[in-house]
Amino acid sequence: MSRYYWAGCLLCALSAPVSSLISPSALKNTRAHDVRTLFSAAPSVEPTTNTDKSIPPEEGQNHYDAVVVGGGPAGLLSAIMLAQKLPPLSSLSSSAKRVVVYDRLDPPPPPDNLVYSTDVSKYYLLGIGHRGQNALKYFDVWEDVEKASVAVLGRRDWAPGKMKEEDARITMSNKEVTSRVLARDKLVGALKQVIETRYKDVIELKYGYQVDPISFGNEDVRSDGEEAGPPVQLQVSQCTPLSSDGDTEECSIENNQPSKVTTQFLIGADGAARGIANAMETSDEEYRKQRNIFQRLFGKSKQLPFRVTRYDDDNQRVYKSIPIKFPDHWAHDLNYSARSENSRGTFEALPSDANGNYCALLLLRPDDVLASANCDPKVLREYFDLQFPQFSKLLGDDVMEDVAKKGASTLPSFRFAGPRHHEGKRTVILGDCVHTVKPYFGLGANTALEDVKILSQIIESIPDLEKNIAKAPLEFTKQRAADSRALVKISRGMDRPGKIGTMRFVLPLILDSMFNKFMPKVFGPSMFGMFQKQGVTFTQIQKKKRLDRLMQSVVIATILSSIGMGLGYSTKVLAKALGMSCTVVRGSLAAAIVAAGFARSKLSNI
């Protein structure tokens, strides 16, 4: 069974390049000036004299209690969390906003816009499972999201070579929490609508802005002291998306003068663009370069070096998105999945609405001719007629021409940031910028929303928060950094290339199913079952699966040893009874087994 059988579990990626995929050249274009220049002097920045949190009136809205960089699901939910949980940290005027969100892209359409049904191939889908739903419920926004989403109650799957409608196998979901699917931009639009209706006096949304840290306010507070230090200083520049439709995160800086903004608390939630995380990495490198070996070993700083671990994608798949309308006699609450023969391609479709409008993705290898732009639509049609005729008849020639014309998009590579998720005492990073995974198992967006819930619980647990805000970033690292690393390593371990990689994926699922069935109190369910368990962290899943593998190995070795000893004893008894040597008996038995296998194969071909 192909691993890509599971690719449609909770996400359907679509035609516009995934917004979290940023090329190095694009990142360079978005900077106001070179990162090294920006941070090389950071460790020597003099602390500001304004450490009593009293902001001069003339500074106005150049200062906020909290700044969120990134206007995606995690970023907007972070802003809602701050509006609900964060007490005032500064002396601001009555008309000032306490929280600001900066995003480089234009705002998405509202969740009730018809474009989500009429142009489904423009928006990629997210599946919201128990982690994401629990986080949204925690901040009382789930009802707003739920009414914009569609329930997925199971999947209808065609195995390779099975092409008739009646050949499909329907598997209904038995999860505790029913997954809900909606376009990512629709989720963002729903959260934006919540902010504009409930928190417009607290939260300010600014689109078309690039943010670069000038100072994290940690020049003299890299130790474990309680003092938070001076505010974070940010350079904010207006920018415009390089793409005409605003579907990518690439943007160019406007020529106008950038402004400086300060804040008591910074949250980096800008996805795989990782602007804040990259700045942390650069700042950390510059800081350590200026310290000699003795200062690094014995100095007051006890922070571990920060870096982003980037894995090369050695099992690449690309995708083309396909809008498809299913007739009324097809269920509109199922995930449709089919795999072609020879594992060339996988077709996955998830509902965009409750009316049968689906968005599908065709997963291919990068070197496949069908993955190229402007491929022959007749060749694409022939491929669908041969491998996916049940879907081909639902796709018009105009759809085939559009799909053939566009180039394939890539999936994100595995990355994680660590070993800490904070910088100094006022900055936290969360979401995809600290744990980027491929969307096969629906863990990325859900874990990002869960990050916000955990940060909120930390903030709520700190007494006299306005004086002890410095405790929140460090505690978030303690609770979340190991989990982020475990999430990425588990996901990458299930995406290894080649036949050995497939075996490493499939064999554990089989073993887990067998052992869990016979000894459920000792052995846990499969990795997919563990993902659905509520209240279980990825670190706990990783440790449990390692223990299961060890115990499974012991049980299997014990059984094989017992069988070997039994065969040895039986051979001796038989040899003694026949008056032959054990070697002759073993050889005769081996020859008999080979002959029986050969005869069976011959008979099966008759």
Side-chain angles (χ1 to χ4, degrees):
M1 180 181 295
S2 169
R3 282 165 287 178
Y4 304 100
Y5 170 81
W6 308 99
C9 290
L10 291 172
L11 176 140
C12 176
L14 297 171
S15 61
V18 179
S19 62
S20 63
L21 304 178
I22 307 298
S23 65
S25 59
L27 185 59
K28 181 178 180 181
N29 288 335
T30 61
R31 295 297 176 90
H33 47 78
D34 184 76
V35 174
R36 183 173 296 278
T37 303
L38 185 65
F39 292 104
S40 60
S44 60
V45 171
E46 291 296 326
T48 63
T49 56
N50 185 24
T51 57
D52 62 354
K53 298 176 293 182
S54 177
I55 306 301
E58 64 270 18
E59 194 165 335
Q61 277 307 97
N62 285 333
H63 180 88
Y64 297 86
D65 280 348
V67 171
V68 179
V69 179
L76 293 190
L77 190 63
S78 293
I80 293 171
M81 177 272 291
L82 292 168
Q84 293 180 2
K85 312 296 182 182
L86 189 71
L89 302 178
S90 310
S91 299
L92 299 173
S93 65
S94 59
S95 61
K97 305 291 180 70
R98 293 199 299 112
V99 180
V100 63
V101 179
Y102 291 107
D103 195 80
R104 294 190 291 180
L105 304 184
D106 296 326
D112 57 354
N113 195 300
L114 291 178
V115 71
Y116 294 115
S117 294
T118 59
D119 194 8
V120 297
S121 63
K122 185 178 181 181
Y123 302 99
Y124 67 91
L125 301 184
L126 298 176
I128 308 300
H130 70 87
R131 295 178 188 274
Q133 290 185 30
N134 289 340
L136 294 167
K137 290 175 183 177
Y138 192 80
F139 301 107
D140 195 28
V141 297
W142 172 240
E143 290 185 6
D144 302 87
V145 174
E146 184 179 27
K147 64 184 181 182
S149 64
V150 183
V152 175
L153 304 182
R155 63 186 290 114
R156 187 178 181 184
D157 177 70
W158 285 262
K162 303 293 185 180
M163 303 173 190
K164 298 179 181 179
E165 286 189 32
E166 58 270 21
D167 290 340
R169 182 183 63 178
I170 296 179
T171 305
M172 302 307 294
S173 173
N174 60 356
K175 296 182 290 188
E176 294 181 19
V177 177
T178 299
S179 294
R180 308 283 301 192
V181 174
L182 75 168
R184 177 191 179 275
D185 279 16
K186 186 184 283 191
L187 172 58
V188 174
L191 295 176
K192 179 175 179 287
Q193 206 168 66
V194 168
I195 290 173
E196 292 172 339
T197 55
R198 303 183 206 171
Y199 304 104
K200 61 182 179 180
D201 294 332
V202 182
I203 302 172
E204 183 174 5
L205 302 176
K206 290 195 171 186
Y207 295 94
Y209 286 89
Q210 165 72 25
V211 177
D212 293 299
I214 299 173
S215 167
F216 288 107
N218 60 349
E219 289 72 33
D220 291 339
V221 290
R222 290 183 182 262
S223 65
D224 290 337
E226 297 294 326
E227 190 65 35
V232 177
Q233 299 179 39
L234 306 169
Q235 178 176 275
V236 180
S237 309
Q238 283 188 310
C239 67
T240 55
L242 296 180
S243 172
S244 59
D245 58 12
D247 286 327
T248 73
E249 288 193 10
E250 300 179 17
C251 67
S252 61
I253 300 298
E254 298 291 335
N255 293 325
N256 58 345
Q257 184 67 27
S259 61
K260 188 177 81 170
V261 172
T262 58
T263 182
Q264 304 290 347
F265 196 66
L266 171 64
I267 295 180
D270 51 350
R274 250 174 229 94
I276 303 301
N278 290 336
M280 287 169 55
E281 191 173 28
T282 303
S283 177
D284 202 64
E285 289 174 357
E286 295 296 340
Y287 172 76
R288 294 182 185 282
K289 284 179 182 178
Q290 295 186 13
R291 295 167 65 84
N292 59 44
I293 184 64
F294 297 103
Q295 290 176 319
R296 295 177 192 175
L297 292 175
F298 307 109
K300 67 177 182 179
S301 175
K302 296 181 181 179
Q303 288 190 141
L304 295 172
F306 176 88
R307 70 187 183 96
V308 179
T309 300
R310 304 166 175 86
Y311 293 102
D312 292 331
D313 191 352
D314 52 8
N315 193 28
Q316 287 190 351
R317 289 296 186 275
V318 297
Y319 63 88
K320 284 192 174 184
S321 63
I322 305 172
I324 184 170
K325 170 81 173 182
F326 286 106
D328 291 339
H329 69 277
W330 290 58
H332 296 166
D333 54 9
L334 295 178
N335 164 209
Y336 291 103
S337 171
R339 291 156 286 144
S340 68
E341 296 176 300
N342 300 322
S343 301
R344 180 182 178 183
T346 300
F347 183 93
E348 295 284 347
L350 286 169
S352 295
D353 57 31
N355 303 317
N357 291 304
Y358 271 61
C359 73
L361 72 111
L362 178 64
L363 280 165
L364 299 163
R365 291 185 175 86
D367 57 354
D368 195 304
V369 64
L370 298 179
S372 61
N374 298 311
C375 69
D376 190 340
K378 294 181 180 179
V379 175
L380 182 62
R381 172 67 77 180
E382 291 174 358
Y383 173 72
F384 266 81
D385 286 343
L386 180 64
Q387 299 294 339
F388 307 122
Q390 67 273 42
F391 301 120
S392 184
K393 62 185 181 182
L394 303 176
L395 300 173
D397 290 339
D398 56 337
V399 173
M400 282 293 178
E401 290 176 1
D402 289 342
V403 174
K405 183 178 180 181
K406 62 187 174 186
S409 299
T410 58
L411 298 171
S413 299
F414 295 105
R415 301 178 184 182
F416 69 88
R420 49 189 166 84
H421 290 176
H422 71 278
E423 180 69 19
K425 305 299 177 70
R426 297 189 183 276
T427 300
V428 166
I429 53 175
L430 52 78
D432 283 351
C433 71
V434 292
H435 44 69
T436 306
V437 296
K438 292 183 180 181
Y440 296 148
F441 313 118
L443 299 176
N446 285 275
T447 307
L449 298 175
E450 188 179 54
D451 285 344
V452 182
K453 177 184 174 183
I454 290 175
L455 178 59
S456 176
Q457 292 172 334
I458 291 171
I459 288 175
E460 294 172 62
S461 68
I462 298 175
D464 201 7
L465 183 64
E466 54 270 29
K467 295 182 180 179
N468 297 302
I469 188 66
K471 296 180 179 179
L474 180 60
E475 184 60 30
F476 184 73
T477 286
K478 290 179 179 179
Q479 293 194 27
R480 211 57 179 158
D483 228 31
S484 296
R485 182 175 61 253
L487 164 63
V488 174
K489 291 194 171 184
I490 288 172
S491 300
R492 184 171 180 266
M494 300 172 73
D495 188 52
R496 308 311 302 131
K499 294 182 178 180
I500 294 178
T502 301
M503 184 60 65
R504 288 178 58 187
F505 176 83
V506 175
L507 185 58
L509 296 179
I510 297 173
L511 291 175
D512 286 340
S513 177
M514 292 171 52
F515 280 89
N516 178 252
K517 182 178 180 180
F518 290 108
M519 291 177 280
K521 293 184 178 181
V522 178
F523 295 95
S526 69
M527 194 68 78
F528 293 109
M530 295 296 293
F531 288 158
Q532 300 306 320
K533 280 184 170 289
Q534 299 194 53
V536 180
T537 68
F538 294 108
T539 304
Q540 291 171 335
I541 292 175
Q542 190 179 53
K543 291 179 179 179
K544 175 59 178 173
K545 288 294 100 181
R546 287 174 177 171
L547 180 60
D548 281 354
R549 298 290 172 263
L550 177 61
M551 291 192 297
Q552 288 168 1
S553 299
V554 171
V555 172
I556 292 172
T558 301
I559 293 174
L560 292 177
S561 298
S562 300
I563 292 173
M565 292 173 63
L567 287 175
Y569 179 77
S570 300
T571 301
K572 290 180 180 180
V573 172
L574 184 59
K576 185 176 181 180
L578 296 175
M580 298 179 180
S581 67
C582 291
T583 303
V584 173
V585 172
R586 292 191 190 101
S588 300
L589 290 174
I593 293 172
V594 172
F598 181 76
R600 182 178 180 181
S601 65
K602 286 295 183 181
L603 290 173
S604 64
N605 293 329
I606 296 177

